[in-house]
Structure formats: C-alpha cells, structure tokens
Amino acid sequence: MNKINYLFFILFILFTSCEKSEIPIQLSGCTDELASNYDQYANISDNSTCNYESFIKTIPLTSDYRYQIYYEINSNSIVNENLKTDWDIALENNLDGYHIIINSSTFSQISSVDNVPFENIINVSNLSWNWDNPNGDLNNTAIGDYRELNNTFWIIDLGYSPSGNQRGYKKFIIESVSEDSYTIRHANLDNSEEVTATIYKSYETNFIYYSLKQNLQVEIEPLNNSWDLLFTQYTHIFDSGTPYLVTGTLINKHSNLEVAVDSIADFNQIDDTYTSTYEFVNDQNSIGYSWKEYFHDTQTFSIKSHINYIIKKENNTFFKLRFIDYYNNSGEKGFPKIEIQKL
C-alpha cells in the first residue's frame, strides 16, 4: 500500500469511528392490527388511541337450519361449516379425555340399558331419555362417566333430518378409552350392521366427531383456538325438564371465552370502560337463542334489538355483539345477521 492510500485509509477509520450512531425515532401510535388506524411504523404502543370499526356478518344457516357454522371474531369470518346430520356423537379430544356428547342439533336423545346383553332386542318405547346440559358442562352429560359401569350400553335416538324425518336409532357400547383412542361397538337395534371402531385422538380440536350411521370419523370442528362462536340449532332444556329444539349461538367455552349480557346500554355507547361492570360467564349457551322472539299469529321472528353481548377473549380483549336481522334480502328466515366491534 503506498503512502497516499495508507493516509486515506487512516482518515476513513478516524472519520467513521467518530461518527455518531443513528438513534431511532420514537413513534407512538396504535399497534393493534384490528384497528382502523393501525400504525405499522409505531414502535411505542399506545392502544388507547386505537379506533375500531364495526363489522356486519350474515350467517347462512338457511331456512331449514341444516348447517352448523363456526365463526372467528378477530377476522370476522366463517372458518368452517357442516351439515348438522354429518355426525352423531363427539368424544373429548385430549390426553385424559373420556366425555362423550350427543348431537343436540338434530334433537338427539339417549338412554342407558343396564344388565342386559348387547345383542338383546330393546323396545325403545320403554326407555327413559336424557339430554346433555346445554351449558356445555362435561360433568353433566347424558352419558356421564361410563368408565366404572359394567354391563351398560346406550341406545341413541338420532333425532330428525332438516326436513323433519326421523333418522332412526343406534345402539353402542364403549369398550375402552385410553390416552390416544376410544373403541366403541355399535349396531342397529336388530343387531345388523354391527361394527367395532377405534376412534383416534388428535388433541387438535375440542372433540372428535363420529357418524354412527356412516361408521366414519368426520372432521367437523376447526382447530381448538381458531373459532369463537358456533351458529346452530341445539337442544335447550327448560326448567321443567322439557327439551326443545332452538336456533342460536354457542361459544367455544373450551378456549376460555366468556360472555356478559347488557340489555340496558345502547350498543353504540358501550366502550371499554363498561367492561369492569359486567359479570362474565363461560356457559356454552351464554349467548343462546333468546336474542329473538317468535310471533305465532304471523309465524315470524323479530330481533330483540336492546340485547347486547360483550365477549371476553384471551388476554382480556373485548368485543361487543348484537343481532340486527334474522332474514336475508329475499325475506327467508335462518340468516342471522350480526354486528360486532372491538372495544
């Protein structure tokens, strides 16, 4: 290296070593991507400045309520849907899970049969029927804890199709349950079409769904935390013990979603300052079906516009929801329309 180049090199080193490092600009703003004023350049979070627009969504259950529709709040999107007759029983899908629920959307009911061989022909008119608690309490299911029962099997009335036709009966016995699977034996009441099926747990959804009519494990529910609300028919149990098929909204209680009801404040006035005054519950049917009423004389439904639902998600994020219609633009029932907004 000649002397001139060496001198330039020394000067460059001295200059760059004295140059001050850049100091990033401190920019405060809304860092919530759900907000209409989300600032991608803000490096100081000030979400008190966030503005949230309300969104409208129509849920196409259709007039005969044939669909079950799963909805995710953050994206205001339908994440899955299925025919309500696609499944008959659902089995708890975790390591220690053993609970089994029946498909209440078809008005199914179930009865235990004790101390009788599985092959016996049973007269269903002599049975006592039971239903799952609509609040989703797994310790209050129609089947209950079967693990310590001996010589017990179940007869399930599969309820009704969307057109109102009876779907028939099946009988089944739970032969084993383990950390990774269930084994059940099922047949028609006359013992035809007897099948022994192993149903494997995946741990990715709250339940595994199984069709007794098709002898098939079916994909129904989205992944555990990828949905919030299920729009569907389900069986409500009145205080008198009378079951009744209703159309409403169930929450994903297994993702720790909670709901409060406000029938006093105006929807547009509710903001995050209200949330500390509410009592939140985790019941599966905490939204339920009572946001509408039916008029027998006109055979029409009307939305109860004064009822608002406050939904508490993980990390104490809150949304407000209300129903604004039950009919589509053609006047067809079974298309509930919701308005939802983050607080």
Side-chain angles (χ1 to χ4, degrees), residues 79-312:
V79 291
N80 204 27
E81 64 180 51
N82 60 274
L83 293 173
K84 67 179 186 177
T85 52
D86 282 345
W87 64 281
D88 301 307
I89 58 174
L91 306 95
E92 192 176 12
N93 189 19
N94 58 55
L95 195 67
D96 300 319
Y98 66 89
H99 297 93
I100 299 175
I101 61 174
I102 62 176
N103 186 351
S104 78
S105 72
T106 59
F107 205 46
S108 295
Q109 53 187 358
I110 197 165
S111 178
S112 62
V113 180
D114 303 312
N115 301 316
V116 173
F118 183 75
E119 293 75 19
N120 277 27
I121 306 299
I122 304 299
N123 185 348
V124 296
S125 62
N126 296 328
L127 297 178
S128 176
W129 298 103
N130 294 288
W131 306 267
D132 294 333
N133 192 319
N135 70 7
D137 180 4
L138 291 182
N139 293 317
N140 197 4
T141 62
I143 293 177
D145 190 348
Y146 52 85
R147 293 172 297 176
E148 297 181 0
L149 298 178
N150 295 314
N151 302 318
T152 297
F153 65 92
W154 284 266
I155 292 181
I156 182 169
D157 174 353
L158 300 174
Y160 297 87
S161 70
S163 59
N165 296 320
Q166 288 189 316
R167 301 181 63 235
Y169 298 87
K170 289 282 187 178
K171 61 180 178 179
F172 67 91
I173 187 168
I174 305 152
E175 297 195 329
S176 68
V177 57
S178 67
E179 293 180 348
D180 57 10
S181 67
Y182 297 80
T183 300
I184 65 171
R185 181 159 54 107
H186 61 88
N188 294 325
L189 296 188
D190 63 2
N191 296 311
S192 62
E193 299 182 8
E194 182 175 322
V195 172
T196 298
T198 300
I199 304 168
Y200 291 97
K201 298 178 180 179
S202 67
Y203 316 118
E204 296 179 340
T205 56
N206 297 322
F207 293 93
I208 319 161
Y209 294 78
Y210 187 80
S211 170
L212 294 167
K213 289 182 74 71
Q214 301 179 64
N215 180 30
L216 186 65
Q217 186 170 328
V218 289
E219 293 185 5
I220 298 294
E221 180 185 335
L223 299 180
N224 291 335
N225 295 313
S226 65
W227 66 279
D228 301 302
L229 306 178
L230 170 59
F231 296 86
T232 181
Q233 288 198 301
Y234 68 94
T235 302
H236 176 74
I237 311 296
F238 287 99
D239 292 339
S240 63
T242 302
Y244 196 81
L245 190 63
V246 297
T247 303
T249 307
L250 304 177
I251 71 168
N252 185 356
K253 72 176 275 106
H254 304 288
S255 69
N256 297 317
L257 207 73
E258 295 181 318
V259 175
V261 181
D262 188 334
S263 58
I264 298 174
D266 181 85
F267 180 82
N268 294 314
Q269 293 178 335
I270 297 174
D271 58 26
D272 57 354
T273 63
Y274 281 66
T275 57
S276 62
T277 67
Y278 294 132
E279 181 178 346
F280 290 87
V281 296
N282 180 240
D283 291 345
Q284 177 181 260
N285 59 344
S286 53
I287 294 179
Y289 69 95
S290 59
W291 39 268
K292 63 185 181 315
E293 57 184 327
Y294 181 70
F295 295 94
H296 291 276
D297 54 345
T298 60
Q299 296 186 346
T300 58
F301 291 91
S302 177
I303 296 295
K304 296 179 182 178
S305 58
H306 66 286
I307 298 180
N308 306 301
Y309 299 94
I310 314 304
I311 300 171
K312 180 181 178 182

